[in-house]
Amino acid sequence: MEQKAYEWAQALCYYAGEDEEFLRNFWRMLIRSPEIYKEFLHYLEHQQFLCEYKVSGYSVVDIMVWQMDHFKAQMDRGKDDMKNNGDKMLLMAFDTLLRMEQNPDYYVNLIQTETGTDYPGKYN
């Protein structure tokens, strides 16, 4: 299963436009985190999020939703490379969860204070 997971990570990186160095770092962090690796494998096998593992109360789906706000803001500024790249959104959500595991306070602060597109009533 590990080979299949690596090949999928490799494909995600390719379709997300990430290089070999990103793949090496991502894979190294992924295999060192049994909980996130389990989440990654579950998504690979079922195309659904497991969401059993959370870092400081946040799951990979929570991170993906937070990041989608940023992708929308990029599109608003004319940077639409994320517009049709679900592979990149998925990869970045897992990558952020891995990084959040290493430095939870930093990412919790970002999630709670940094938003993408602002609109009236967003914080109500």
Side-chain angles (χ1 to χ4, degrees):
M1 189 53 149
E2 186 173 324
Q3 181 63 31
K4 185 176 178 181
Y6 179 80
E7 289 171 1
W8 186 53
Q10 190 175 35
L12 282 175
C13 287
Y14 173 79
Y15 289 115
E18 298 297 339
D19 62 15
E20 285 292 319
E21 183 177 350
F22 182 94
L23 172 61
R24 280 191 302 274
N25 290 330
F26 176 77
W27 185 253
R28 179 182 44 78
M29 288 188 300
L30 185 63
I31 61 173
R32 289 181 180 167
S33 174
E35 296 88 356
I36 298 174
Y37 185 66
K38 179 181 177 183
E39 298 275 335
F40 189 79
L41 289 178
H42 183 84
Y43 192 88
L44 169 61
E45 293 174 337
H46 304 284
Q47 307 297 267
Q48 295 179 6
F49 294 101
L50 185 59
C51 295
E52 282 183 358
Y53 182 66
K54 295 180 181 183
V55 176
S56 297
Y58 294 95
S59 71
V60 68
V61 170
D62 297 319
I63 291 170
M64 183 173 260
V65 169
W66 169 66
Q67 288 181 336
M68 287 174 76
D69 217 17
H70 287 275
F71 299 150
K72 288 178 195 174
Q74 286 180 352
M75 290 187 321
D76 289 348
R77 290 189 295 266
K79 298 177 183 176
D80 64 354
D81 64 323
M82 301 302 275
K83 186 175 182 180
N84 296 310
N85 198 333
D87 292 323
K88 186 159 190 151
M89 287 190 284
L90 181 65
L91 178 64
M92 291 301 120
F94 276 108
D95 184 65
T96 299
L97 187 62
L98 287 162
R99 293 176 189 284
M100 187 174 183
E101 197 173 50
Q102 305 283 319
N103 190 358
D105 293 340
Y106 174 77
Y107 286 96
V108 167
N109 181 55
L110 287 179
I111 290 169
Q112 292 177 352
T113 62
E114 191 179 272
T115 61
T117 307
D118 289 331
Y119 51 86
K122 182 172 184 172
Y123 299 104
N124 296 341

